[in-house]
Amino acid sequence: MTRALFIVDVQNDFTEGGALGVDGGDAVATAITRHLRAHAGDYELIVASRDWHHADHDNGGHFADGEPNYVDTWPVHCVAETTGAEYDPELDTGAVTHHVKKGQGVPAYSLFEGTTDDGEAVADLLTRHGVVDVDVVGIATDYCVRASALDAIAHGRRVRVLTDLVAGVAASSSEAALAELAHAGAELVTSTDR
Ligand code: VGL
């Protein structure tokens, strides 16, 4: 079977100390690096995404005008070309085959809303490589991991979420997201039990 790994939004602004840092973000970055050292060879494609928002722009209402509600309005985060938008330094991106940017001027929770550096849509990339299976890891469980995994299912792929390699904004919405993903057909498995 031809398998891809999605590494969703492991960026400085989503790890501890970032504008929208989640608990456990740094640990997830380190653990993904460990997973890549052992298992990069299991994947035909390793696709890493970055939120890449416009500066001085509300990005389609994604950046709060006032207090964010942390559901669909957020503090300013992951502005293109800033440190906050870079990959967390604990993530070793050496094995990444495709870098995807998303959210230029719009909210974009799913990695499928982005394009590679060559301008290719992720769905086309997967089809071109005959990818059947997708493992999903990264941040945030309850937002971009959720949306990316649901889209992978919607695009007909078999999806596993590696549950020790994700971190969420809030515990209850992360739990709900994992339950929703399981119901939608994703397999929830740890990186060591897979
Ligand atoms: C994300 C909140 C706002 C994410 C992105 O990467 O999950 N969450 N923007």
Side-chain angles (χ1 to χ4, degrees), residues 13-180:
D13 269 345
F14 294 131
T15 57
E16 284 86 346
L20 191 37
V22 308
D23 288 342
D26 281 330
V28 156
T30 302
I32 294 171
T33 292
R34 201 177 311 125
H35 179 68
L36 287 170
R37 291 205 172 119
H39 297 294
D42 297 355
Y43 298 104
E44 163 81 10
L45 299 175
I46 300 178
V47 183
S49 66
R50 274 173 292 180
D51 236 4
W52 203 255
H53 294 307
H54 290 341
D56 306 318
H57 189 287
D58 77 350
N59 290 277
H62 191 60
F63 288 176
D65 175 18
E67 274 302 299
N69 64 15
Y70 292 89
V71 175
D72 57 15
T73 64
W74 305 95
V76 171
H77 62 275
C78 299
V79 170
E81 313 294 347
T82 65
T83 304
E86 286 311 317
Y87 293 115
D88 184 286
E90 295 300 326
L91 178 70
D92 181 348
T93 59
V96 171
T97 62
H98 296 81
H99 296 274
V100 164
K101 291 184 179 125
K102 60 185 178 66
Q104 297 94 328
V106 290
Y109 295 101
S110 168
L111 177 150
F112 283 83
E113 294 175 71
T115 54
T116 66
D117 290 339
D118 293 335
E120 187 172 27
V122 174
D124 294 338
L125 174 70
L126 298 182
T127 299
R128 194 159 57 77
H129 286 265
V131 169
V132 175
D133 292 275
V134 177
D135 286 354
V136 183
V137 303
I139 303 170
T141 315
D142 31 0
Y143 293 94
C144 290
V145 167
R146 171 187 174 275
S148 300
L150 286 174
D151 258 357
I153 293 167
H155 281 87
R157 268 65 191 197
R158 272 200 310 245
V159 172
R160 301 189 305 194
V161 178
L162 306 186
T163 53
D164 55 326
L165 303 182
V166 296
V169 171
S172 63
S173 48
S174 295
E175 243 171 71
L178 291 177
E180 180 185 10

